[in-house]
Amino acid sequence: MTVWLNGEWLNDEAAGPGAGDRGFLLGDGLFETLRYSGGRVCRLKAHEQRLRASCQALDLTCPLDAVSLGPVIAELAGRAGLPEAAIRLTLTAGRGERGLARTGAHEPFCLITAAPLGARPASLSLASIGLQRSGSSLAARHKTLSYIDNVMARREARRAGADMALLLDTQGRLSGADCANLFWLRDGRLFTPALECAVLPGTARAAIIAAMDVEQGGFGPDSLAAAECVFVTNALMGAVAVSRIDGGPAGAGQAVPAAVKAVLD
């Protein structure tokens, strides 16, 4: 196969894995984002479980069958000189014949990278946007490489002057932020959208639910109006308070509950 890459004529091998890789061409793959801190990967077992479940759902060969993730990440962070790092594992279906069907001999492509872990923001603002998540979509329930909805949601939120997008599902129920799960505190009780609301099963979300009493369900956007505190969670930043939604104050200004921080930190 001959390719044209940024003005150069190359054979496919010289062009790199992207020339025939299904992840690059079709988004046929998934990724996992992990936090490395204090000499360990935070909630490694939960990430491994989610990775295995997503590989099974997407019919991908799981790299954990051949690689022990913890030692690899520790060495990667050490080689990069990063005592704290944002780790990304990218897994694709690999190279195959042209077309949608996975035909032809191909092997999965797995890439793990380490980047400096950014500072946790003091708070975040959210903006409601037009895009809605479908509960039947694999892209909503797994961290697939088909991430364009999230990219464009963030772009729309930034244009509205917010940090992140607040997403609903196709039934108009709260789903989450563009790269984080959503929680709120009302009358001393924690709430979060149920997985059926096109929610990605975040590892931080799971840790909170396992340790605390959290009501999961289908909630409309008005549920946030009476909240004492609204916050979002993901693997890298933990729990961060939401200060504003659609330009107005979010909640009554309470901080993220100390019990939540204790679970994640």
Side-chain angles (χ1 to χ4, degrees):
M1 179 172 64
T2 300
V3 301
W4 182 94
L5 176 64
N6 294 333
E8 291 188 66
W9 294 100
L10 305 167
N11 61 45
D12 61 343
E13 292 183 359
D21 187 87
R22 293 179 60 84
F24 179 80
L25 298 175
L26 299 170
D28 188 0
L30 55 86
F31 71 98
E32 193 73 23
T33 307
L34 312 92
R35 175 174 179 156
Y36 179 81
S37 180
R40 66 182 183 89
V41 181
C42 301
R43 291 180 290 280
L44 176 59
K45 185 177 180 180
H47 282 286
E48 291 179 335
Q49 290 174 340
R50 184 171 68 181
L51 179 59
R52 289 188 185 279
S54 292
C55 284
Q56 183 174 7
L58 274 63
D59 197 20
L60 293 169
T61 300
C62 183
L64 297 177
D65 297 336
V67 176
S68 182
L69 203 53
V72 170
I73 291 176
E75 182 173 350
L76 177 64
R79 286 172 176 259
L82 296 173
E84 291 194 324
I87 305 296
R88 169 163 168 144
L89 181 151
T90 303
L91 177 70
T92 82
R95 298 169 66 93
E97 294 180 5
R98 186 181 180 281
L100 295 182
R102 287 184 190 155
T103 55
H106 58 273
E107 296 181 359
F109 178 83
C110 185
L111 173 71
I112 307 176
T113 60
L117 186 65
R120 179 185 302 174
S123 64
L124 292 166
S125 57
L126 303 179
S128 303
I129 65 167
L131 187 148
Q132 294 181 323
R133 284 174 169 162
S134 169
S136 65
S137 171
L138 288 170
R141 294 180 280 118
H142 301 277
K143 293 178 77 74
T144 75
L145 298 183
S146 307
Y147 224 56
I148 192 61
D149 283 351
N150 305 67
V151 170
M152 298 311 294
R154 175 66 63 87
R155 188 175 182 86
E156 187 174 340
R158 289 290 177 88
R159 286 174 173 169
D163 298 306
M164 286 186 183
L166 176 65
L167 301 175
L168 307 180
D169 70 3
T170 51
Q171 298 184 43
R173 302 174 298 187
L174 289 168
S175 181
D178 55 41
C179 74
N181 291 120
L182 178 70
F183 287 84
W184 62 96
L185 181 71
R186 189 178 70 226
D187 299 327
R189 184 172 176 80
L190 277 178
F191 296 83
T192 195
L195 293 178
E196 292 75 18
C197 301
V199 172
L200 179 79
T203 57
R205 175 187 185 275
I208 295 171
I209 291 173
M212 304 178 67
D213 185 16
V214 181
E215 183 171 337
Q216 305 175 62
F219 306 102
D222 57 344
S223 300
L224 302 178
E228 293 136 30
C229 173
V230 180
F231 61 95
V232 294
T233 64
N234 70 20
L236 294 184
M237 66 184 181
V240 176
V242 174
S243 57
R244 303 185 72 78
I245 300 177
D246 295 331
Q254 288 192 20
V256 175
V260 170
K261 290 186 175 182
V263 170
L264 299 183
D265 298 339

